[in-house]
Amino acid sequence: MEEQASELRALMGMEKSTSSSTIKKTHGTRIIAVTSGKGGVGKSNISVNMAIAYAQLGKKVILIDADLGMANVNVLLNIVPQYNLMQVINKQKTMEQIILDTEYGIKFIASANGFSKIANLNVEELDYFARQFCSLSNADVIIIDTSAGIAQNVLQFVSAADEVFIVTTPEPTAITDAYGMIKMITTEIIDRELTLKLLVNRVRSAEEGRRIADRIINIVGQFLNFKVEYLGFVYEDPVVSSGVLRQKPFMVMNPTSKPAVCIKHIVNKIENAEIVENEGVTNFLNKFLSRKKGK
């Protein structure tokens, strides 16, 4: 895997090369991984609606469904994908051919178990996939909806992303699992600086969201000596479940609803925060593969 990681860095223009076909380092696409300690907290719904909110700000957004166990972003978007990343990895399709345009101004990629196969690629296959993946660098934002729970494939996405949003709810089990997720991330990924942000979903009040967040943040600081930022909260509201049933994102179904306003506020907060240099698509793939190397 060390050899493969070196090959990838060379292919992506991150090491000196005399080849005229070397890929140039791309601009800093913002790559966000959305994850959670357990299923059922609304992680995928948050990912979908956050992507739409970014698009409404005029951003070019790509949403990748990387939930390898229970992919449901396509269900929320009412899309039946014909292809996924496996077809790119197998050199059957180009990235352009598998990306789906949606009616909501975002692009969507169904990943299935594609990413888990990258470590087994030979040099020629890796070259093809790296070049295809680099075509995503035209996006301003890539949001990756990971699997829920503590698993190695989740840690790979988390370790490679610029920012990690952890979704929880006021339920005691969700709070416990969110802490467990943060503990796993901070103890397993020690070779690079991490930006973890906490989002509390399905709250009845702003005060409840802040209280839950403070509880988790304080415990993490006390026992793990790590700083987690409070990203914000999203209200519990019937519009969310209604949107799921109708397979229509609540950002579109009711843009003035409380959850929609919360998502808009969170995205604006992210965009108005201090600008941090994002490492972009090439570095994401390099870090992703480096994580595979160590396992």
Side-chain angles (χ1 to χ4, degrees), residues 44-198:
S44 295
N45 224 334
I46 293 294
S47 299
V48 168
N49 286 279
M50 189 174 291
I52 293 172
Y54 262 113
Q56 290 176 350
L57 290 179
K59 302 291 184 180
K60 296 178 181 178
V61 185
I62 297 175
L63 177 61
I64 300 178
D65 190 347
D67 190 333
L68 309 186
M70 193 178 292
N72 57 12
V73 169
N74 61 298
V75 177
L76 295 172
L77 292 172
N78 194 21
I79 291 174
V80 180
Q82 187 175 0
Y83 306 112
N84 58 52
L85 275 180
M86 278 307 300
Q87 278 76 38
V88 177
I89 288 174
N90 293 333
K91 299 176 68 173
Q92 298 169 330
K93 297 290 179 182
T94 64
M95 192 68 75
E96 183 180 358
Q97 289 173 321
I98 73 163
I99 293 180
L100 296 175
D101 289 312
T102 73
E103 60 182 293
Y104 308 117
I106 65 175
K107 294 182 181 293
F108 171 62
I109 295 176
S111 73
N113 64 346
F115 272 108
S116 65
K117 305 295 183 183
I118 295 175
N120 300 320
L121 301 182
N122 60 36
V123 175
E124 182 182 356
E125 291 168 335
L126 184 63
D127 185 8
Y128 180 80
F129 181 77
R131 293 173 190 280
Q132 291 299 316
F133 195 79
C134 280
S135 68
L136 303 183
S137 63
N138 290 326
D140 297 309
V141 182
I142 295 177
I143 296 178
I144 303 174
D145 180 40
T146 77
S147 302
I150 300 169
Q152 286 305 321
N153 64 69
V154 176
L155 290 176
Q156 287 167 229
F157 289 115
V158 166
S159 66
D162 296 315
E163 300 165 275
V164 181
F165 298 166
I166 299 169
V167 180
T168 189
T169 70
E171 295 178 4
T173 54
I175 294 171
T176 301
D177 289 339
Y179 172 77
M181 185 69 179
I182 295 170
K183 182 177 181 180
M184 176 61 74
I185 292 171
T186 56
T187 53
E188 285 283 323
I189 306 172
I190 59 175
D191 58 340
R192 60 179 56 103
E193 191 172 323
L194 294 169
T195 301
L196 303 186
K197 299 182 180 182
L198 188 66

Side-chain angles (χ1 to χ4, degrees), residues 30 54 57 59 163 197 231 264-276:
R30 185 178 217 145
Y54 262 113
L57 290 179
K59 302 291 184 180
E163 300 165 275
K197 299 182 180 182
L231 184 61
K264 290 177 185 176
H265 175 75
I266 288 171
V267 168
N268 280 312
K269 178 180 177 181
I270 297 167
E271 286 298 293
N272 292 330
E274 182 180 353
I275 297 176
V276 177

